[in-house]
Amino acid sequence: LSMNEKFYYYIGTDYSLETIEKNKKKFNSIPNVTFMHSDDIDDLQTSSADLCFLIETIEHMSDEHLQRTLDNIFRLLKVGGKLVITTPNNEDLRLSMVFCPECGAEFHKMQHVRTWERENLKYYLTSRNYTVINIEETWFVDGNNIALNAVRRIMLRVRTKPSHLFAVFQRG
């Protein structure tokens, strides 16, 4: 590599072995990309990452997995490294509960186990030594999907808060 070229390495992690295998097959032609089980990231070098993403993830995590994930990301980030998080904003989990007639279980149709708002996300991350760079309430839009954007415009009229949080935190 010349002095002007940057070398990037991408690591995707998940707690699901099935998801890891699917992603390995889907992205096998992209150089410098690997996937591993979230429990195996202890083997990665401390302070080796510039940027980590948790995209539509933290609302699915149990307390144990969330704490472990955030602690591991903090360990992996270089000083000044960034963590980008997106998550539904102020989601009423009850509205998306479904019932399984076979086993009798009630669960969220997208397997969300928690809801986040700006303040509790800020508190949770700062209590783990992250610094808040920015937390925005936002509506994600798809510039190419006219029907989806029309539905989102209707939602803007009936929902008081934007549907998602987009947050950037930093390791100090």
Side-chain angles (χ1 to χ4, degrees):
L1 294 175
S2 75
M3 295 281 288
N4 294 329
E5 292 178 307
K6 291 187 177 182
F7 179 77
Y8 294 99
Y9 193 74
Y10 306 92
I11 300 170
T13 68
D14 204 291
Y15 286 101
S16 163
L17 292 174
E18 180 182 341
T19 300
I20 292 166
E21 290 308 313
K22 283 181 184 178
N23 284 329
K24 282 181 178 179
K25 290 176 185 171
K26 184 175 181 178
F27 298 104
N28 69 350
S29 65
I30 300 174
N32 306 322
V33 174
T34 189
F35 295 92
M36 63 189 334
H37 194 277
S38 295
D39 288 338
D40 296 334
I41 65 173
D42 291 339
D43 299 333
L44 297 175
Q45 183 179 349
T46 298
S47 299
S48 59
D50 296 306
L51 180 63
C52 292
F53 293 91
L54 289 172
I55 306 299
E56 302 300 303
T57 304
I58 62 173
E59 65 276 9
H60 297 271
M61 295 180 151
S62 67
D63 291 340
E64 176 188 346
H65 283 147
L66 181 60
Q67 182 175 342
R68 181 170 164 79
T69 298
L70 291 173
D71 290 348
N72 275 322
I73 289 173
F74 191 86
R75 180 184 65 80
L76 292 172
L77 282 172
K78 295 175 182 176
V79 173
K82 307 289 190 290
L83 169 60
V84 177
I85 297 175
T86 67
T87 187
N89 181 30
N90 195 30
E91 178 185 20
D92 187 344
L93 297 176
R94 297 170 301 163
L95 297 177
S96 295
M97 297 301 279
V98 294
F99 176 78
C100 175
E102 290 184 28
C103 70
E106 186 179 18
F107 55 92
H108 190 277
K109 67 181 178 180
M110 298 298 291
Q111 292 81 44
H112 294 179
V113 297
R114 67 180 73 241
T115 187
W116 294 96
E117 295 179 49
R118 181 192 305 248
E119 288 306 312
N120 69 341
L121 182 63
K122 176 182 175 180
Y123 174 80
Y124 198 87
L125 273 287
T126 57
S127 71
R128 280 156 183 76
N129 298 316
Y130 288 89
T131 301
V132 177
I133 301 298
N134 194 20
I135 303 175
E136 293 289 330
E137 294 179 337
T138 187
W139 292 94
F140 287 138
V141 295
D142 181 350
N144 298 321
N145 191 324
I146 295 169
L148 184 58
N149 288 333
V151 169
R152 287 189 174 124
R153 280 194 298 278
I154 293 168
M155 291 298 294
L156 281 169
R157 292 184 188 138
V158 298
R159 186 173 160 94
T160 59
K161 286 190 170 238
S163 65
H164 281 79
L165 294 173
F166 180 90
V168 180
F169 295 90
Q170 178 174 303
R171 178 181 175 185

